Amino acid sequence: MHRIGFPDLRFDLYCAVWEEVLVSPKRCADELTLLEEVQLKESNLLDGQHVQTFKLFQYALLRNVAGIERVMDDIEMSSCEYYAKVAAFTVRGGQLDLASKILVPMLPLLHQFIQREMTPMYRAKFCQFLNRLYSEIGLTEEQESVLFHAFGRFGIEPYSESLIHKGRYEEWVAFNSIYISSMAYLDSIGLKEVVANAPAIALPIYHVYAMEELKQKSRMNYKQAVRIWRAMKATAKKAGKLDYFNAYMDNIQAKHKRLRALQEEILKANLTS
């Protein structure tokens, strides 16, 4: 603990030794006493909150709920990655009640930690790690929304899959209208299921993605927009909304009448009524 550099690896080593070698309640109790002394006498050598993460791990070893709660009552955003490592230990041991005591208090801090404090190259891997942990403990819908909002772009796939699994198709459309990707990616994360089960609900997302193509103002993008509208037409037909689609395309043509290349592509595709 008094070394400098590689704090993640040192913490991993500490946890591995205690988990696999020094497995003894008496040793844990002695270690907690030593950690208290370190925190009181040598705070200039160790950040206080960092000591708390070592204590959290010892409490987890002892299955000491009160100790875990004391640490998490004084939660520090900069230690979120360490809390998650301890939570992973409790999950491996099947102690999901202890995992909840750690993971739930972390939720309000995760967005700032992931999006502002964490090095960008590690965000995707960390979000995947967290997603596996939180899937073990079960979250309310509100908590789930907080979690995936914290993930940002890295939460698109797991949150989309969760919404599809729960049949929350309207929310799926709204969420995937915020984080623009590609139609192929949308198909892979649930658009096919939305179209199959609630085609009318899927119609707005086609518009969103077609408009993204029009912003590029090139014939290639106009052709892609037309492909999207053709899929939209098929979905509208499935939903019994062809009249809506025809009126929609009339409006698109009127609104973009100066885009000659776009008008030509629309006519070629026979999208108008």
Side-chain angles (χ1 to χ4, degrees):
M1 284 184 285
H2 295 84
R3 300 287 180 175
I4 297 174
F6 302 104
D8 294 346
L9 294 178
R10 286 189 284 113
F11 187 73
D12 289 345
L13 176 61
Y14 178 91
C15 294
V17 169
W18 277 94
E19 183 177 355
E20 302 294 341
V21 182
L22 304 178
V23 185
S24 162
K26 174 66 167 61
R27 282 173 168 164
C28 291
D30 291 343
E31 180 72 1
L32 278 167
T33 300
L34 290 172
L35 289 171
E36 291 286 354
E37 292 175 0
V38 167
Q39 196 165 11
L40 289 171
K41 298 178 181 178
E42 303 180 30
S43 58
N44 60 316
L45 297 177
L46 269 180
D47 175 75
Q49 188 60 37
H50 196 187
V51 177
Q52 288 288 77
T53 60
F54 288 96
K55 289 169 66 176
L56 180 66
F57 184 74
Q58 292 296 334
Y59 288 133
L61 280 170
L62 293 169
R63 301 181 181 179
N64 185 327
V65 174
I68 290 173
E69 289 177 339
R70 281 198 301 274
V71 174
M72 300 312 293
D73 281 344
D74 193 27
I75 191 170
E76 179 70 31
M77 182 184 63
S78 61
S79 293
C80 280
E81 191 170 359
Y82 298 105
Y83 300 145
K85 289 174 183 284
V86 180
F89 163 73
T90 63
V91 169
R92 287 196 301 274
Q95 302 296 314
L96 301 186
D97 54 334
L98 300 184
S100 295
K101 296 290 184 182
I102 299 169
L103 293 171
V104 172
M106 288 170 57
L107 281 170
L109 305 180
L110 285 177
H111 182 269
Q112 185 171 352
F113 177 74
I114 293 170
Q115 304 301 330
R116 299 183 186 178
E117 302 294 325
M118 179 163 262
T119 304
M121 66 182 293
Y122 296 120
R123 288 175 186 166
K125 186 175 181 180
F126 184 61
C127 288
Q128 291 169 359
F129 174 56
L130 283 181
N131 187 52
R132 289 193 297 271
L133 292 180
Y134 279 98
S135 67
E136 293 286 345
I137 66 170
L139 296 174
T140 66
E141 289 186 9
E142 182 178 355
Q143 290 170 336
E144 189 178 67
S145 296
V146 172
L147 176 66
F148 291 116
H149 173 67
F151 289 171
R153 288 191 170 274
F154 302 115
I156 293 175
E157 185 171 344
Y159 191 37
S160 295
E161 290 175 353
S162 175
L163 292 173
I164 290 294
H165 180 70
K166 296 174 181 177
R168 292 158 57 184
Y169 303 124
E170 195 165 353
E171 291 172 71
W172 185 96
V173 169
F175 178 70
N176 283 286
S177 296
I178 296 171
Y179 297 103
I180 303 299
S181 52
S182 69
M183 295 304 297
Y185 184 63
L186 285 184
D187 281 338
S188 73
I189 60 173
L191 179 58
K192 291 179 181 179
E193 287 80 0
V194 178
V195 171
N197 293 285
I201 290 174
L203 294 176
I205 203 164
Y206 291 105
H207 168 72
V208 171
Y209 276 71
M211 292 303 101
E212 287 296 314
E213 296 296 336
L214 294 196
K215 289 178 184 178
Q216 307 305 316
K217 296 184 177 180
S218 75
R219 186 175 286 271
M220 180 181 70
N221 292 103
Y222 296 156
K223 287 182 178 180
Q224 181 59 26
V226 165
R227 293 189 193 100
I228 293 170
W229 283 326
R230 289 174 68 179
M232 183 180 180
K233 183 176 183 179
T235 302
K237 184 176 181 180
K238 183 178 179 65
K241 297 279 188 178
L242 269 180
D243 288 343
Y244 163 82
F245 177 78
N246 291 332
Y248 167 81
M249 287 308 305
D250 288 343
N251 183 58
I252 289 291
Q253 282 189 294
K255 187 174 181 179
H256 301 284
K257 59 185 177 182
R258 294 184 180 180
L259 299 179
R260 182 177 176 183
L262 174 64
Q263 298 289 344
E264 290 173 355
E265 294 300 327
I266 290 174
L267 289 173
K268 277 188 208 174
N270 201 23
L271 286 172
T272 53
S273 54

